[in-house]
Amino acid sequence: MLIATPTEALRLTPHCAKAPEFVLQDQSGRLLGQLANPAGDGCQGRRALPEQLIARGVTHLVVRRIGEKMLARMLAAGLVVLRAERGWQPGQGVSEQWERLSDASQGAPSRQQQQRNCTSHQGAAHECGGQDGECHAKTHCCASRAATPLIPLRRKVAP
């Protein structure tokens, strides 16, 4: 069993995707290496993270906090995701008693996505069926924005 842990300066970070690196260790806590986090490269890096972990032989991911989207990616890739107890740090043994995350809804919701989905609907009739400023469909706002054509910028050409 090879375990990856999101870290900064060899300390467990509070958020998986924002960690600068991952420490690789076995179940007993023996440190085996490090992996730079590609998630810092934006969306493509976040999408590539599960594949890179699997390519290194990682089977388990130990986190303190992880977002819904990243958790969904990790679970879809077949990784076992465990929530570490408070005070645990890389280099310590991993407990089988920790909470095993098995559904994306167990991850933290995206604050940006929540704001994006609902702020334009405050006080308006909801096409998604939400009431009192709450939306139930998560993609309708982004989908309507994507349907809006982009207007190219005009550049001044020197004579």
Side-chain angles (χ1 to χ4, degrees), residues 17 37-52 70 73:
N37 187 355
D41 295 336
C43 292
Q44 290 183 355
R46 286 190 289 275
R47 287 185 197 113
L49 179 58
E51 295 163 5
Q52 285 193 3
M70 184 60 73
R73 286 185 189 114

Side-chain angles (χ1 to χ4, degrees), residues 6 13-17 22 49 61-75 81-83 101 103-110:
T13 58
H15 198 284
C16 179
F22 284 84
L49 179 58
L61 177 66
V62 173
V63 298
R64 184 74 204 121
R65 185 172 185 266
I66 188 169
E68 284 177 326
K69 291 179 184 179
M70 184 60 73
L71 179 56
R73 286 185 189 114
M74 296 296 181
L75 294 173
V81 182
L82 301 171
R83 189 183 318 265
L101 305 179
D103 188 70
S105 65
Q106 292 174 294
S110 167

Side-chain angles (χ1 to χ4, degrees), residues 89-149:
Q89 292 300 323
Q92 297 176 342
V94 175
S95 172
E96 294 292 328
Q97 303 300 316
W98 290 351
E99 178 184 10
R100 182 176 177 165
L101 305 179
S102 58
D103 188 70
S105 65
Q106 292 174 294
S110 167
R111 290 183 193 153
Q112 290 177 344
Q113 188 69 29
Q114 286 175 335
Q115 290 171 350
R116 198 176 314 144
N117 285 345
C118 294
T119 54
S120 63
H121 295 289
Q122 297 294 331
H126 295 310
E127 299 168 18
C128 62
Q131 297 175 353
D132 300 322
E134 291 188 11
C135 295
H136 297 283
K138 292 194 172 210
T139 58
H140 71 279
C141 293
C142 295
S144 66
R145 283 193 194 123
T148 306

